Structure formats: structure tokens, C-alpha cells
Amino acid sequence: MGLWTNRYFPAAVLAEQSKVLQDSGVVDGVLVPDQLAGFLPRQLWREENTPIASIVRDPDSAMDAFMVAPYIYAAAPRLNMHLTTDSIRRAPSELIQSMLTLAHITEGHANFQIGGGEVKQTRPFGHPYKQGMSRMRDLMQIYRRAVETDGPFDYAGERWTFENAFLGNANEHLPTLWGLGGGPRLTDCSTSFADGMAFTLPGAFSNPDQVAEAVGSIRKEVEQKGRDPEAFRIGLWAAILLHPDQSVLEKAFDNPLIKFFSAANGRVESRQWQAEGLPLPFPQGWAYYKDLLPNDTPDDLVDTILAATTREHVERSWFAGSPADVAAQMRPYLEAGIDWVLPFDYLPVVGDPADAPAAVGWMVDLCRELKSASK
């Protein structure tokens, strides 16, 4: 289950939530996203769109994932810890040391999902946002050298050069490293050097046949590189709106925050909407990972996007319904060869704060349904 780490809430809320998930017996782990900026324009973050805006005054006050993960693990030590980050904002040596440290703390129950770097996380903060794939290839190769070489090593890559570099051989517990995202370069890098990869649904693939084809292609590529295709893990992130009351969901479908998120993230590439016979909410060639800058999105563009986003766009962007409904919608994707599932519920962002405790219970129910469906 994904966690929302917002500094307007006490950190103890995360600890208590994680304890509940751990004690459920059906949630295997939690994911902490390494975010500097949120997904939503601040001009939409108003109480009429999200009641929690009275407390959470902006959508960008995220906690540092690398600091909060050990805190969560101390509270719920039976949970696996998953972190997301990118290949740009941290140098390989420091990032790999952090990875090895969390693996040591958790005795091997640490997973890192590495993306190429979203523009909203990099460009506003002065990072070289166009170097994601080259830096990812360097990072993954350096990681392999660091954990598989008995002593100092050299590395000459496109972005990084190491000379007699050594992070030590105290590697009793290692993390797992996955690529996060898609595209030929990320897939090639992941199948060459990583332990797995993950992608989003329905943003990256909008039907089970597409997922089955992608899974088969990925495993074939792993095998062609002389690696064990069955040991390579493939995971999915599922964007969900979870509530047993259809009227609540209907209201959420019309919420400007959900509409904007659907337009920006409902499909990874705007051209995917066109392929499905729907108009493009964003301009041709637009993609959230390379174009979305929430704090640099003018009012007129926000208004244009919301006007162009239809109910059909929204409905196709989410798995929505009760825990049983969402599990039934997701089951065909699990049967396509998926090893790991992360349902991420966005309804609490726009829902009634009074539903927050129940939302955790519904998520546990969903995980129970998914675990049962995967047997």
C-alpha cells in the first residue's frame, strides 16, 4: 500500500497507519514516494475541491522518504519497505549507501524503484532534468559493481567516473532494485541490471492484453541477456478510487482535482487517449513526466484542461468502486503475469475526512481480495 507522507500531519499518523496495515495479515509492505513536488496545481487546492485543504494548505509538503522509511519500519518491522526515487537528484555513491543502509536496517526487506526523473521533481530545483536515462544506466551499473566487486573498482560511464571507489563489502543484506516506468531505454536498462521493474495502470497499459504482451516481452528480453526471467519481478501500480458508495464516486468523478489528475496521469502519453478514440486533454506530444510543472501551470491552461476532460476520460483513468469491485476489475491484470501490486487510493484527497479511518479498512479489504485472487 502506498503512503501519503505530508508534513501537515504528525509523523505518528504514519506509524499508527503502518501498524494497522502490518497487523492486518494481508498487506505485505508499504511504499514511500520520494517526492519534492506534488501532481496538482495550487490554484485547484481549495476547500471546495478538497476539504482537507483547511489543514493541508498545499499539496507539496512531502516528507523525505529516506528519513521517514526507517521511522515507519521501527513502528511496523514486519512490513517490507519500498521507496521510489529517480536517477538524477542523488549521486550514485550516496544513493547506493542509503539503499544498503535501509537494507541493513530492515534485514533485506528493502526495495528501491528508480525512475528517470520527472520534470516537476528536477527542473524547478536546478537538476539536469534531461539526463534521466543516461544517469539511470550509470547508476544501475555502478550499483552492480558496488555489491558484486570484492574491493575498490573503477567505472567510466556517460555521466559518472569512479576511480578506486569502494563502499565496503558489509553486504549481508541487499536491497532489490527495480526500474520504475517504461519505454525502450528504461526497459533495456532494467532488464540488463535491475532485479525487476514496475509500471502504472491504467496509465501505461489500459487493458490486460497489453500487460500480458509487455510482461512476455520483458521476460524474453531478460532471458536473451542471459539472466533468469523467473527471478525478474514485474510489478504494477494501480490508480484507484475506493469507496462502497457509488454516489460518492460519482461526485469524485466531477471533482476538478480528480479531473486534472485524470487528464495528466490517466495515460502516460497524451497520444494514448487518441489511440482510444478520445480527444487529447493536453496538447499533442504532452506527457506528465516531461511536461507537468504544477506550480508553473497558468489558470487558462488549467481551465482548458478541465473543460476538455470528459467523464469518459475520468472513468478510464481509475479502478473505482468497493473493495470487491476494484479487485474484480484488477484480477485480469494479475493473471497477466504480475508479481507485485500497489493499489494507490486517491479518493481520500478529495473525500470526506470523516471517511479516513474507514478508507484504511477498505484498503485492507481490497488487499485481502487481491491476495485471494492471486492464489
Side-chain angles (χ1 to χ4, degrees):
M1 176 177 165
L3 298 179
W4 186 24
T5 63
N6 191 285
R7 299 195 307 273
Y8 284 105
F9 296 124
V13 172
L14 286 174
E16 292 304 315
Q17 184 181 19
S18 297
K19 288 177 185 177
V20 171
L21 298 177
Q22 170 186 259
D23 295 342
S24 72
V26 295
V27 178
D28 300 313
V30 291
L31 182 139
V32 185
D34 178 24
Q35 296 279 309
L36 285 175
F39 291 92
L40 300 165
R42 292 191 64 184
Q43 57 264 53
L44 291 179
W45 195 260
R46 302 193 299 262
E47 287 187 50
E48 59 264 36
N49 297 333
T50 170
I52 61 172
S54 61
I55 301 170
V56 179
R57 294 191 294 276
D58 64 73
D60 300 310
S61 295
M63 298 183 193
D64 183 331
F66 287 82
M67 294 186 69
V68 78
Y71 172 81
I72 293 170
Y73 181 76
R78 297 196 306 274
L79 291 176
N80 297 323
M81 298 302 305
H82 296 252
L83 272 72
T84 67
T85 189
D86 58 62
S87 56
I88 294 177
R89 290 179 290 142
R90 289 176 171 86
S93 51
E94 286 75 14
L95 177 55
I96 292 169
Q97 185 184 50
S98 294
M99 293 167 62
L100 294 172
T101 300
L102 188 62
H104 183 70
I105 291 170
T106 63
E107 298 185 346
H109 297 286
N111 168 263
F112 290 82
Q113 300 181 25
I114 312 291
E118 299 169 345
V119 67
K120 69 182 179 65
Q121 304 283 72
T122 51
R123 179 178 164 185
F125 305 100
H127 294 289
Y129 63 96
K130 293 185 178 181
Q131 298 179 5
M133 289 300 97
S134 58
R135 287 176 176 265
M136 175 180 285
R137 195 166 191 87
D138 278 355
L139 168 65
M140 289 192 174
Q141 290 185 85
I142 291 168
Y143 171 77
R144 286 297 166 205
R145 297 276 184 92
V147 301
E148 295 173 1
T149 303
D150 186 13
F153 64 93
D154 298 335
Y155 175 80
E158 184 174 348
R159 303 295 177 185
W160 293 94
T161 298
F162 281 28
E163 296 179 1
N164 289 319
F166 190 44
L167 290 172
N169 289 138
N171 297 330
E172 179 184 1
H173 301 292
L174 292 177
T176 51
L177 171 63
W178 294 2
L180 177 60
R185 294 180 68 188
L186 188 147
T187 301
D188 175 57
C189 189
S190 299
T191 55
S192 297
F193 308 111
D195 303 300
M197 62 184 299
F199 44 80
T200 61
L201 296 181
F205 302 107
S206 57
N207 64 65
D209 289 341
Q210 291 176 351
V211 173
E213 182 179 355
V215 168
S217 176
I218 289 167
R219 295 204 189 280
K220 182 178 180 180
E221 191 170 325
V222 171
E223 186 173 23
Q224 289 173 340
K225 294 174 178 177
R227 308 180 70 204
D228 182 358
E230 296 307 314
F232 192 86
R233 302 267 287 169
I234 300 177
L236 65 84
W237 294 44
I240 67 172
L241 298 174
L242 192 61
H243 204 285
D245 188 336
Q246 184 62 33
S247 66
V248 173
L249 295 171
E250 291 288 332
K251 183 178 179 181
F253 289 155
D254 293 327
N255 186 291
L257 289 174
I258 296 298
K259 290 182 69 175
F260 187 91
F261 191 96
S262 301
N265 298 73
R267 296 295 181 269
V268 174
E269 304 274 358
S270 62
R271 58 180 173 78
Q272 292 172 265
W273 288 124
Q274 199 168 31
E276 295 180 35
L278 293 180
L280 305 179
F282 277 91
Q284 185 77 38
W286 191 94
Y288 90 90
Y289 60 87
K290 67 179 181 67
D291 295 302
L292 178 61
L293 293 167
N295 292 314
D296 191 20
T297 305
D299 291 347
D300 58 348
L301 178 58
V302 171
D303 293 341
T304 298
I305 297 311
L306 293 179
T309 304
T310 67
R311 171 61 72 91
E312 192 168 4
H313 284 109
V314 177
E315 291 179 349
R316 291 194 191 188
S317 297
W318 308 89
F319 299 99
S322 68
D325 294 335
V326 171
Q329 294 163 31
M330 291 179 59
R331 183 166 189 160
Y333 294 88
L334 306 185
E335 296 170 349
I338 294 299
D339 300 307
W340 175 94
V341 180
L342 171 76
F344 221 128
D345 184 15
Y346 291 82
L347 191 64
V349 176
V350 300
D352 186 342
D355 280 343
V360 176
W362 295 329
M363 180 61 77
V364 169
D365 290 343
L366 171 60
C367 290
R368 184 177 293 109
E369 295 268 3
L370 292 174
K371 192 174 287 290
S372 176
S374 67
K375 291 179 180 178

